[in-house]
Amino acid sequence: MKKLLLSAALMAFTATGAVSEEVTLGINAASVTQLDPHVSTKLGDKIVFGMMFNGLVRFAPGSMSADEIEPDLAESWTRSDDGLTWTFKLKQGVQFHGGYGELTAEDVVYSIERAADPDRSGVAPDYAQL
C-alpha cells in the first residue's frame, strides 16, 4: 500500500505574532484517487474525507453510537413530530478556507442537493427515498 502524505498549513499565534507551521499526516491507503466526497465511494478516500470535511453533526470521538451524536457545523437541531423534517441551527462565524466567506444555510442545501443528484454524485443512492 502506498502511504499518502497530506500537508496542511496551520497558523499558530504567539505573543510575538503569527508563526506558520506545516503539519504532515501519514495514512495507509492503497490509493487516494478523489478528494470530492460526492464522487468517490472508496474507503481510502472516505478516510481522508473525514479528516478534511465537517458535517452538520458527528459521532462523539471514539463512538459510533447514535446516542452520542454531537454538534459539528450545527449548533442545535430539532425533529418534526412526524420525524420527516429536521431543522438545524448553524453555528455562526464558521468560515470556509481560502477567504470564501461564512457558511450559510444555502451552502448546506447545495451540498445535500448535489450529494442526492445521481448525475453529480456517487453517493446519491444513499439519499433515495425508501
Side-chain angles (χ1 to χ4, degrees):
M1 289 201 264
K2 297 178 184 176
K3 185 177 271 192
L4 172 70
L5 297 179
L6 299 176
S7 295
L10 300 177
M11 297 303 291
F13 294 94
T14 66
T16 60
V19 177
S20 177
E21 297 182 34
E22 185 174 295
V23 174
T24 301
L25 174 66
I27 63 168
N28 279 329
S31 64
V32 175
T33 60
Q34 181 63 244
L35 293 179
D36 184 340
H38 294 138
V39 175
S40 180
T41 58
K42 291 184 174 184
L43 179 60
D45 295 351
K46 286 184 175 189
I47 291 169
V48 175
F49 300 155
M51 294 182 221
M52 293 178 61
F53 302 107
N54 293 80
L56 291 172
V57 297
R58 68 178 188 182
F59 290 109
S63 172
M64 291 292 287
S65 170
D67 295 332
E68 295 188 44
I69 290 177
E70 62 183 22
D72 196 1
L73 294 174
E75 181 177 290
S76 61
W77 57 94
T78 58
R79 184 183 69 166
S80 64
D81 290 338
D82 63 8
L84 299 177
T85 303
W86 291 80
T87 303
F88 293 87
K89 181 178 179 186
L90 298 178
K91 291 180 182 177
Q92 297 298 300
V94 175
Q95 297 291 315
F96 284 98
H97 294 278
Y100 287 100
E102 186 171 346
L103 175 72
T104 67
E106 290 80 16
D107 297 318
V108 175
V109 169
Y110 173 83
S111 186
I112 292 171
E113 287 177 347
R114 180 174 178 236
D117 182 347
D119 292 331
R120 299 186 296 161
S121 174
V123 297
D126 296 340
Y127 291 83
Q129 291 188 6
L130 302 175

